Amino acid sequence: MKRTLYVSSAAAAVLLVGGPVAAAGAAAADAGRALPAVSTAVRASVDAEGAAAAALKHYPGVIESLDKDGSTWHVNIIGKNGTYAEVEVGSDGKATTRGTERNDDDRNENAALVGAKVNAQKAITAALAAHPGTVWSVNWDDDDNDGSSQKRYWDVQIKSGDGRTQNVHVDPTSGKATVSPSDSDEDEDGDDSDQNGSYENYDSR
């Protein structure tokens, strides 16, 4: 509205001294100057791969976990000096360090993660190949499952187009992706097509 009023005023001023033709020319010129440049490109929301890349560029190291909260990604990174960092990546791809913490006692516990052949980024690729969709979170899981040994894997949560979630476990050594029926929404609804408990595997090698 302001631009229109400005054009009309300019045209009226010229009309007093130059007549209708001059006024029309002035109005066109003013309109050309007033119109902002419009970009046809639309920025898409940053996906898991983009968030991982942006976070590591901002704070080099090894990703321990990556979770999406609304339009923001929270990325936990173990830096090259052993310092933990929480990095946030916005929908525009801008990364910001939200906090750091150092605990030298954790170095031995994190040795398997830091030395893993398959990192978070490769785990994302393997999980999506096994179960296409949108990655919502990636977490390093080293819980003691059987009381005697450690079973380490990447836990990748993927959302399908219908809004259902599926967890895919990726072996940090072989890169084999295992679609876990027990973690899927289909299991809870009793609609999981894999009723015999077998897993769908994908080897990223």
Side-chain angles (χ1 to χ4, degrees):
M1 183 63 69
K2 290 182 179 180
R3 177 172 61 82
T4 303
L5 290 176
Y6 173 74
V7 172
S8 299
S9 299
V14 178
L15 179 60
L16 294 176
V17 296
V21 175
D30 284 332
R33 287 193 297 270
L35 285 174
V38 178
S39 174
T40 57
V42 178
R43 183 184 295 275
S45 180
V46 175
D47 58 12
E49 293 94 330
L56 289 175
K57 181 178 181 180
H58 174 75
Y59 195 96
V62 177
I63 292 177
E64 180 185 42
S65 66
L66 182 149
D67 299 274
K68 189 173 186 181
D69 182 12
S71 60
T72 301
W73 288 94
H74 299 275
V75 187
N76 289 326
I77 298 174
I78 300 175
K80 294 182 178 180
N81 61 354
T83 300
Y84 283 92
E86 180 184 352
V87 177
E88 285 188 358
V89 180
S91 59
D92 58 355
K94 182 179 180 181
T96 306
T97 301
R98 309 304 294 179
T100 59
E101 179 183 358
R102 185 178 181 86
N103 188 347
D104 292 333
D105 294 336
D106 290 339
R107 288 198 172 189
N108 290 335
E109 295 181 10
N110 295 325
L113 166 60
V114 173
K117 181 179 179 180
V118 177
N119 57 22
Q121 303 93 297
K122 292 180 179 179
I124 291 173
T125 301
L128 288 174
H131 187 82
T134 301
V135 172
W136 217 252
S137 69
V138 182
N139 291 281
W140 173 260
D141 195 327
D142 59 358
D143 290 339
D144 191 346
N145 293 320
D146 58 10
S148 61
S149 63
Q150 294 280 340
K151 176 61 178 177
R152 303 181 178 95
Y153 58 87
W154 289 103
D155 183 26
V156 184
Q157 186 182 68
I158 297 176
K159 287 195 175 184
S160 303
D162 58 5
R164 296 189 177 191
T165 60
Q166 175 71 61
N167 285 61
V168 179
H169 298 167
V170 179
D171 188 285
T173 301
S174 67
K176 183 173 69 175
T178 302
V179 178
S180 175
S182 61
D183 290 332
S184 68
D185 284 349
E186 289 85 348
D187 256 5
E188 296 176 6
D189 298 335
D191 296 329
D192 190 4
S193 58
D194 192 354
Q195 297 295 332
N196 60 7
S198 62
Y199 287 176
E200 176 185 349
N201 293 329
Y202 171 80
D203 195 331
S204 65
R205 292 177 300 173

